[in-house]
Amino acid sequence: MKVIEMPAEGDAVKAKLICAGVLISGCSSSQSALNPAGAGAELIARLFWWMAGGATVIWLVMIALSIYALHLNPVAHHRQKSALFIIGGGAIAPTIILTILLIYGLNLLPALLARPPAGTLQIEVEGYQWWWRVRYPTQSGKPVELANEIRLPRGEPVEFILTSNDVVHSFWIPSLGGKVDMIPGRTTRLTLHPTKTGHFRGACAEYCGASHAYMNFTVDVVEKEEFDEWLAQQSTDRITPQTESVERGEALFLQTGCGACHTIRGTEADGKIGPDLTHIGSRSSLGADMFPTNRGNLQKWIAHVSALKPGVKMPAFRALKDDEYQTLSNYLEQLK
């Protein structure tokens, strides 16, 4: 007979502490609503803790009544006394607590839904299956377009103009504020006010198809001066090829028809179907925050995109030779 050794009591306690630590650490990640870095997220986190406190009070009242009835006084109770416990502890107390929480939550809505002041930076975000098109206005009147990447200035409100190209998506940056649905044929708006610098993660919070879980984006909150410098750099055209290898890559990009779907400013490529690739080499991630942006991942994406991201509409260019994949990925990586 096989003897199963039970863990020592000390080991069990350690295991529980480790599990609790793992769970708590998840509250401080770059995609946590309980790690607020924006004015709206701070209000939402405060509401969460008030609701958690209210739920705890209700739970304690019910546990206290149960202990009293079953252990401290396990005898037949007087009818009126029992009715007092049931009505007072089971109905009146929860109603009072929940009413207080409801009033407190409703009082937060005006601040969360308030329109931003005139002159606020507006960023257009359009949802696709399964990526995000992001447009920034510029003084020239020609917007800067990115994909799956957002950069914001700290300490200033930003208004997002949200639309969807196909199905219902939901725009959400948990550390900065609440979420808003993006509905085909309609325009919705969301105002966020970043209060801390840092790297955060956003996601689609509405199931939208096969690769819904892979529809994420990165958010960097920086100081205003750094933001202005970044936006000015992003508004420039692509760097003119300086080497023969890069020249071959650009020629191959145009010859294979990539420009029919993608734009690279400063070249003949002006496609509007896929993401703008003018500065793709400067982006931190590839495929809506699936992989770090580097030459190897760019090459895999071009050759095996449908295997990496189910349902993606970009065709895989399997007719290219190995050296042509390398040439293309080298060209795209240096677009910074």
Coordinates of all heavy atoms in Angstrom, one line a residue, residues 1-5:
M1 N 0.9 -1.2 0.0 CA 0.0 0.0 0.0 C 0.9 1.2 0.0 O 1.8 1.3 0.8 CB -0.9 0.0 1.2 CG -1.9 1.2 1.2 SD -3.0 1.2 2.7 CE -1.9 1.4 4.0
K2 N 0.6 2.2 -0.9 CA 1.4 3.4 -1.0 C 1.0 4.4 0.1 O -0.2 4.7 0.2 CB 1.2 4.0 -2.4 CG 2.1 5.2 -2.6 CD 1.9 5.7 -4.0 CE 2.7 6.9 -4.3 NZ 2.6 7.5 -5.6
V3 N 1.9 4.9 0.8 CA 1.7 5.8 1.8 C 1.9 7.2 1.3 O 2.9 7.6 0.7 CB 2.6 5.6 3.1 CG1 2.3 6.7 4.1 CG2 2.4 4.2 3.6
I4 N 0.8 8.1 1.4 CA 0.9 9.5 1.0 C 1.3 10.3 2.2 O 0.6 10.4 3.2 CB -0.4 9.9 0.4 CG1 -0.8 9.0 -0.8 CG2 -0.4 11.4 0.0 CD1 -2.2 9.3 -1.4
E5 N 2.4 11.0 2.0 CA 2.8 11.9 3.1 C 2.1 13.2 3.1 O 2.1 13.9 2.0 CB 4.3 12.1 3.0 CG 5.2 10.8 3.2 CD 6.6 11.1 3.2 OE1 7.0 12.3 3.1 OE2 7.4 10.2 3.4

